[in-house]
Amino acid sequence: MAGQIPEQIIDEIRKANDIVDVVGEYVSLKKQGRNYFGLCPFHGEQTPSFSVTQEKQIFHCFGCGKGGNVFTFLMELEGFTFHQAVEYLGEKSGHHLPDQYQKDDAHNHAVDQISLQAYEWLTKYYHHVLRHTKEAQAAQVYLQERGLTDEMIDLFQIGFSPQANEVTTQFLIKKDLNIQHLASSGVLARNEENQVYDRFRGRVIFPIRNHLGKTVGFGGRSIGDLEPKYLNSPESALFQKGKLLFNFDLARSEMKKFGQAILFEGYMDVITAYQAGITNGVASLGTSATEQQAALLKRYVEQVVICYDGDEAGIRATYKAAKLFNKVGCQVRVASLPDNLDPDAYIKEYGGERFKHEVIEASSTYMSFVMTYYKRGYNLQIEADKIAYINQMVSEIAVLNAAIDRDHYARELAKTYQLSVDTILEEINEKRKQRGNDKDNSVSISHTNERVFKKNRQKLLPAYHNAEKKLLAYMLYDRSIAEKIKHSLGAAFNIEKHQIIVTYLYAFYEDGHDANVSHFIERVNDQSIKSELVEIAMEPISPDITDAEIDDYIYLIKSEQGDKAEIRELMSQQKHAELNKDFVKAAQIGMEIMRIQKALKDKKR
């Protein structure tokens, strides 16, 4: 069992990993004022409500309420334990933990470490076989004929699996890995005679990595008569095709840089494009694009260019993908390839520059593609087909979120078929009414309202409640203010969560720590308390607050306590009067209680 990591090491690792940089690897952030905003990675939304503050080194989502520091973010998103998050960030910043603090046992249970180790060794092994053995000569020739340079082969760690039945398994045994476990987890295969073997024998190997750059599966391509032509690792806890994208780990920073992702169909399209200088490409893993993949890309980029094969099957797949990415709110563009070419073949024939300018940059808008796509199903020389097509386009235009887009395509449709723009727009508006407006738009509005509600909720809170939140925000910011409050108010806050936070905070400062909300968060384990704490820490404060302003907050908090104490005392007196059958006095006391309660309500407005 790993020992507890010393606080000094944790603090060094925290300071070495700026939360904006770490979160920015998962979320496309844009600076607005002093904070950064993006789409929350923890829940679906169209309007950014996820905020990161560099000054305080914390994040908070105004939509779902999640928040914390750089360690909390990874724990929430990756499912890491605290130990794993520290270890992972330590590796990123060059802070290697001493042996006694490594290998958290919980990590071994949470993730299949044996399989990860096997995939890591196999990636190196297959690559070595390809680059340095005669048996891989046919695979080497195949890759050369595909135009791949040695640099690309090394970058993508392309390999080759030997034909011999036991070579791979013997290699893994020598690495002290449990072969039976690897067969059960899908790294290796088992035949009808219960023999364990390498399912990728005789194939060119493409390692498939997760977003952390760890190999979690392979894609194998046969170079002879072996069937099937393409073979992927089976589904497992580590390898889930619907959630992974080939080359995502390398393309992530490039996508953010360009503000655009290019979605290809196959590995070779991605690699050939990368070799030609187009480094923001990814590919789904032999299946149609999924909602998880679409949501993943939406977190990083606004625009997705779909660049599938130019044949009939590729065009149908493009339509499905375009609808999916449009649904999640991406700005969709569709690249068109001539003569049934695929991207790999086009680049080989015409070169990377022409591909970039004449295919990617010349890609059509989502609606232009849809209008062209649907024409294939109608004979527009026949009046009935023409009307049916126009009605189909009206339905498609009606689901567009932006009014300017709806107006543009309505005018284009009207001009093409000599119709009145007003008539087309009237039909579009009628369709939208029938649908209750666009679903995606309503989602966006609901999230916007949710964010506004969360933001404005504070204004509706009682004065003493807002005073407690503000006072706590200043106490988190300035240790000397906390010391003053400790002596004048202690933990006598009215809200229970605030009482818990302030108790933790006093203990934090008593241990000799300076004000540091990112560090302090680690003291709090209860998630609801932590969410309240982060929300308070995001409160805007003035560094020039005066003692008089602080005293005003204290007065509001104590007044609430005093009024409640007075009411409790009067209620006791009223009960005593009723027991003595002095009903007149009991009624008088009741009137006084009502007067104080009314005054309290007026004060809270």
Side-chain angles (χ1 to χ4, degrees), residues 185-239:
S185 63
V187 178
L188 297 174
R190 184 181 277 117
N191 62 22
E192 294 177 359
E193 286 76 39
N194 209 32
Q195 295 172 317
V196 177
Y197 68 98
D198 180 1
R199 63 168 48 80
F200 294 107
R201 288 177 323 210
R203 295 175 182 271
V204 173
I205 304 296
F206 297 88
I208 300 166
R209 300 179 297 270
N210 63 15
H211 60 287
L212 300 176
K214 304 284 188 183
T215 302
V216 293
F218 296 113
R221 204 278 189 195
S222 68
I223 50 175
D225 299 328
L226 201 61
E227 291 293 337
K229 187 176 180 180
Y230 294 99
L231 181 67
N232 276 334
S233 291
E235 291 282 310
S236 69
L238 290 175
F239 186 76

Side-chain angles (χ1 to χ4, degrees), residues 209-270:
R209 300 179 297 270
N210 63 15
H211 60 287
L212 300 176
K214 304 284 188 183
T215 302
V216 293
F218 296 113
R221 204 278 189 195
S222 68
I223 50 175
D225 299 328
L226 201 61
E227 291 293 337
K229 187 176 180 180
Y230 294 99
L231 181 67
N232 276 334
S233 291
E235 291 282 310
S236 69
L238 290 175
F239 186 76
Q240 298 178 49
K241 286 185 288 188
K243 295 181 179 179
L244 294 167
L245 287 165
F246 180 74
N247 192 47
F248 182 78
D249 59 317
L250 295 181
R252 178 163 52 181
S253 61
E254 299 297 298
M255 290 189 298
K256 287 175 63 182
K257 183 167 73 177
F258 295 112
Q260 178 192 77
I262 303 173
L263 182 67
F264 294 106
E265 275 190 283
Y267 311 139
M268 286 303 300
D269 295 330
V270 172

Side-chain angles (χ1 to χ4, degrees), residues 41-283:
F42 304 114
H43 78 287
E45 61 178 9
Q46 299 292 330
T47 305
S49 62
F50 182 83
S51 176
V52 181
T53 167
Q54 195 164 37
E55 180 185 4
K56 298 173 183 176
Q57 289 292 299
I58 57 175
F59 73 91
H60 178 67
C61 177
F62 293 97
C64 67
K66 287 190 184 294
N69 63 8
V70 67
F71 298 129
T72 314
F73 179 79
L74 289 173
M75 291 163 70
E76 289 282 356
L77 197 63
E78 296 289 358
F80 286 168
T81 63
F82 179 74
H83 193 120
Q84 292 166 331
V86 173
E87 194 171 348
Y88 172 73
L89 289 175
E91 287 180 9
K92 281 178 69 71
S93 58
H95 292 78
H96 298 292
L97 298 182
D99 290 343
Q100 66 266 37
Y101 305 125
Q102 292 185 3
K103 297 179 181 176
D104 182 19
D105 285 344
H107 188 48
N108 292 330
H109 293 295
V111 179
D112 187 349
Q113 281 293 89
I114 298 174
S115 294
L116 277 176
Q117 289 171 22
Y119 281 129
E120 184 179 356
W121 279 116
L122 285 172
T123 299
K124 295 174 182 176
Y125 168 69
Y126 290 144
H127 184 63
H128 176 83
V129 171
L130 175 71
R131 301 288 272 137
H132 302 290
T133 68
K134 290 182 179 180
E135 186 180 358
Q137 189 172 1
Q140 294 164 6
V141 170
Y142 165 77
L143 293 171
Q144 287 169 3
E145 289 176 347
R146 297 298 300 262
L148 293 192
T149 64
D150 289 345
E151 183 185 1
M152 285 299 106
I153 291 170
D154 290 342
L155 177 65
F156 287 91
Q157 289 287 284
I158 300 171
F160 178 74
S161 176
Q163 282 280 7
N165 194 34
E166 296 182 357
V167 176
T168 302
T169 53
Q170 288 301 315
F171 169 79
L172 293 171
I173 289 170
K174 288 177 182 176
K175 297 301 177 185
D176 294 324
L177 292 167
N178 188 314
I179 296 300
Q180 297 304 321
H181 173 89
L182 296 179
S184 300
S185 63
V187 178
L188 297 174
R190 184 181 277 117
N191 62 22
E192 294 177 359
E193 286 76 39
N194 209 32
Q195 295 172 317
V196 177
Y197 68 98
D198 180 1
R199 63 168 48 80
F200 294 107
R201 288 177 323 210
R203 295 175 182 271
V204 173
I205 304 296
F206 297 88
I208 300 166
R209 300 179 297 270
N210 63 15
H211 60 287
L212 300 176
K214 304 284 188 183
T215 302
V216 293
F218 296 113
R221 204 278 189 195
S222 68
I223 50 175
D225 299 328
L226 201 61
E227 291 293 337
K229 187 176 180 180
Y230 294 99
L231 181 67
N232 276 334
S233 291
E235 291 282 310
S236 69
L238 290 175
F239 186 76
Q240 298 178 49
K241 286 185 288 188
K243 295 181 179 179
L244 294 167
L245 287 165
F246 180 74
N247 192 47
F248 182 78
D249 59 317
L250 295 181
R252 178 163 52 181
S253 61
E254 299 297 298
M255 290 189 298
K256 287 175 63 182
K257 183 167 73 177
F258 295 112
Q260 178 192 77
I262 303 173
L263 182 67
F264 294 106
E265 275 190 283
Y267 311 139
M268 286 303 300
D269 295 330
V270 172
I271 298 169
T272 304
Y274 199 107
Q275 185 169 290
I278 299 157
T279 52
N280 55 331
V282 295

